[in-house]
Amino acid sequence: MAKQALLQRELKREKLAAKFANKYNEFKAIAGDAKRSDEERDAARLGLQKLPRNANPTRQHNRCEITGRPRGTFRQFGLARAKVRELAFAGEIPGVTKASW
């Protein structure tokens, strides 16, 4: 199990990213729009820089829902590879079978 502080940090990042999502998307759209003037685009880039660092959605990390492990996480299941294997062998994940050829 991951440390509770790390799990809480990820939750904090999720909340912050959700809170600033609209502003972030607006600034990104303006900064990437070639039809806008250079001043507008520069102002949008400055606006992005002024947002909190953890408001950027790319700073979020996928973690296992059960153990909180940050690495080796399957997006499809939301679980770490060890838990996927464990639950698949126990037959608790529908449609997942051990490969054999």
Side-chain angles (χ1 to χ4, degrees):
M1 188 75 187
K3 290 183 180 179
Q4 287 300 310
L6 298 178
L7 297 177
Q8 293 303 317
R9 186 187 304 164
E10 286 296 327
L11 290 176
K12 186 176 176 182
R13 283 180 180 155
E14 286 177 20
K15 288 178 187 175
L16 205 57
K19 179 180 176 182
F20 287 100
N22 290 335
K23 272 189 173 181
Y24 183 83
N25 290 332
E26 287 174 14
F27 285 140
K28 288 292 279 187
I30 293 170
D33 189 4
K35 294 179 183 176
R36 302 272 185 149
S37 68
D38 288 340
E39 291 81 20
E40 285 179 312
R41 294 173 71 192
D42 288 342
R45 287 190 197 105
L46 279 174
L48 278 172
Q49 289 178 357
K50 288 182 181 178
L51 291 178
R53 181 175 283 183
N54 286 331
N56 191 336
T58 59
R59 289 181 62 89
Q60 295 174 10
H61 207 286
N62 293 333
R63 287 187 171 268
C64 177
E65 292 292 325
I66 298 172
T67 62
R69 180 179 165 85
R71 297 183 180 190
T73 305
F74 283 75
R75 287 185 190 172
Q76 184 176 1
F77 305 112
L79 301 172
R81 57 184 171 74
K83 283 295 174 184
V84 169
R85 184 175 190 267
E86 186 179 303
L87 295 175
F89 284 159
E92 296 179 15
I93 302 177
V96 176
T97 57
K98 186 176 179 191
S100 61
W101 59 89

